[in-house]
Amino acid sequence: MRAEPHGAGIGLRRATSRLALLLVVADLAACTIPPPVPVALPPPPAPSPAALPPLEQPSFVQSGLASLYGPNLQGHRTANGESLDIHAMTAAHRNLPFQTVVRVTAPSTGKTVKVRINDRGPFIAGRVIDLSDAAARVLGIAADGTAPVRIEEYVSDQP
């Protein structure tokens, strides 16, 4: 047998220890938990119709022909005592209470405006509301003088 040089056994032991340590680290690395995979969650379900608040229903509905105040009535007294302002969002109705706010829609244009009732009228058969010039312009019916409309009163619109 050959004699080993002095310290050769120590080098072999170090190499063996390092190899054993490397194997332990490799074994531990193989046992680690992989990082979590991001999961895309589905969007929340749409609320069921029963979960949605009910749409507000009008407390008054009327359809008919609207006309507009002539400019010669500017400044005259209305039935509730105000001065008529054809530039304000006001209207006359035969029996809705004064200060009632109604939505007036012109089906021909699809536009809607809110007006406050401050006068009585119209007094021409077949008409249901007289609109200020400003309201008729918003609805796109000022040039016509008269037009079919739908009148709706909602509780939430009232002062």
Side-chain angles (χ1 to χ4, degrees):
M1 244 202 221
R2 271 181 18 185
E4 291 182 1
H6 181 62
I10 294 176
L12 183 59
R13 274 186 268 153
R14 277 191 187 163
T16 305
S17 294
R18 285 185 183 161
L19 179 61
L21 182 62
L22 184 62
L23 288 174
V24 168
V25 170
D27 192 36
L28 286 176
C31 293
T32 60
I33 300 172
V37 176
V39 176
L41 297 175
S48 67
L52 295 175
L55 293 176
E56 182 181 15
Q57 297 298 314
S59 55
F60 173 84
V61 177
Q62 184 178 26
S63 294
L65 200 60
S67 53
L68 57 136
Y69 287 113
N72 58 329
L73 296 176
Q74 173 70 21
H76 283 91
R77 291 272 171 225
T78 63
N80 76 346
E82 296 178 26
S83 291
L84 176 65
D85 181 359
I86 63 171
H87 306 292
M89 295 296 175
T90 58
H93 192 272
R94 285 191 191 101
N95 47 19
L96 285 172
F98 294 134
Q99 308 310 324
T100 301
V101 175
V102 295
R103 299 178 195 182
V104 181
T105 303
S108 61
T109 63
K111 295 180 179 176
T112 300
V113 66
K114 290 182 184 180
V115 295
R116 180 177 53 87
I117 304 299
N118 71 341
D119 202 4
R120 291 291 171 230
F123 300 111
I124 298 175
R127 297 185 187 176
V128 295
I129 195 166
D130 276 335
L131 299 170
S132 66
D133 184 62
R137 287 186 187 285
V138 169
L139 291 173
I141 61 172
D144 300 332
T146 61
V149 295
R150 177 179 168 95
I151 304 167
E152 298 171 303
E153 177 189 2
Y154 289 88
V155 173
S156 62
D157 290 338
Q158 304 317 306

